[in-house]
Amino acid sequence: MEQKLTDIACSARILGALFYYSPEAPEARAIVDALRAPGWEREWPCAFDAACVAGFRARYAGDETLAQAWQRLFIGPHALPAPPWGSVWLDRESVLFGDSTLALQGWLRENAIAFETPLQEPADHIGLLLLLAAWLAEQGKTRELDELLAWHLLPFAPRFLEVFCAQAQHPFYVALGGLTRATLAHWRSALLMPVSQKPLYR
């Protein structure tokens, strides 16, 4: 169990930072550099497509830089090809701060988890959920970690990642989507509770 928590803490913090922060931000820059260097793949706690290794080393896709790709995928100004918030996938109207976000906020309150997001951003951003999973694993909060995964992350993440991988275009982010899909599947296989089956609207 201790090794499982260590593995989740490390991998969730890496993946969460890459989804949430610009690759040029201090929180992500060292991770980007590490994934471009050889050897990290031998330390990853689950199997994944070897093509991810080459994808992480790509700095450009055509004329688009990695930072520009992140801006296109997560900020805009155009419609995001795969919005990273759970409620966009789980709510019939595909809105931010929908019922699924409110359910997550209620769960955070019930478990006395102080989770303040920058600029009033919805807490169900996949990057934030992964960072929260890392924190719960680091704190040894196994019940809360399992509930977060089964009730709030895994119900929408596989569909989000399917669309994200298809639309990312930049090899680095295609690799990020692929690595995250493999990692979440690995976590799911070890869950002791069933993943909540929720309808998806995208």
Side-chain angles (χ1 to χ4, degrees), residues 57-188:
R57 292 178 183 157
R59 296 176 184 270
Y60 293 90
D63 293 330
E64 186 178 53
T65 67
L66 187 58
Q68 289 168 337
W70 184 84
Q71 178 81 21
R72 171 176 55 81
L73 290 167
F74 296 104
I75 303 297
H78 304 297
L80 304 186
W85 301 279
S87 65
V88 175
W89 305 86
L90 293 168
D91 282 72
R92 188 180 300 276
E93 304 300 323
S94 295
V95 294
L96 297 180
F97 291 105
D99 289 344
S100 62
T101 312
L102 298 178
L104 172 61
Q105 291 172 337
W107 177 83
L108 291 168
R109 284 193 301 273
E110 290 166 9
N111 288 280
I113 299 171
F115 190 59
E116 295 183 8
T117 59
L119 303 174
Q120 300 298 307
E121 180 168 10
D124 59 350
H125 187 292
I126 190 168
L128 289 175
L129 291 174
L130 287 164
L131 291 170
L132 177 57
W135 181 82
L136 292 171
E138 290 162 358
Q139 302 299 312
K141 295 180 179 289
T142 54
R143 175 187 60 80
E144 294 89 341
L145 174 61
D146 284 356
E147 289 177 358
L148 177 73
L149 297 178
W151 298 350
H152 301 290
L153 178 59
L154 292 174
F156 84 92
R159 175 59 183 158
F160 159 76
L161 291 167
E162 178 186 3
V163 177
F164 182 81
C165 287
Q167 300 292 329
Q169 299 177 21
H170 195 291
F172 184 97
Y173 285 108
V174 174
L176 175 60
L179 181 63
T180 306
R181 289 173 82 174
T183 303
L184 293 188
H186 178 67
W187 295 352
R188 182 172 189 154

Side-chain angles (χ1 to χ4, degrees), residues 5-30:
L5 291 176
T6 300
D7 289 345
I8 290 178
C10 180
S11 53
R13 193 158 293 284
I14 289 169
L15 298 173
L18 292 175
F19 275 110
Y20 193 68
Y21 296 106
S22 162
E24 297 179 339
E27 296 87 348
R29 190 182 306 126

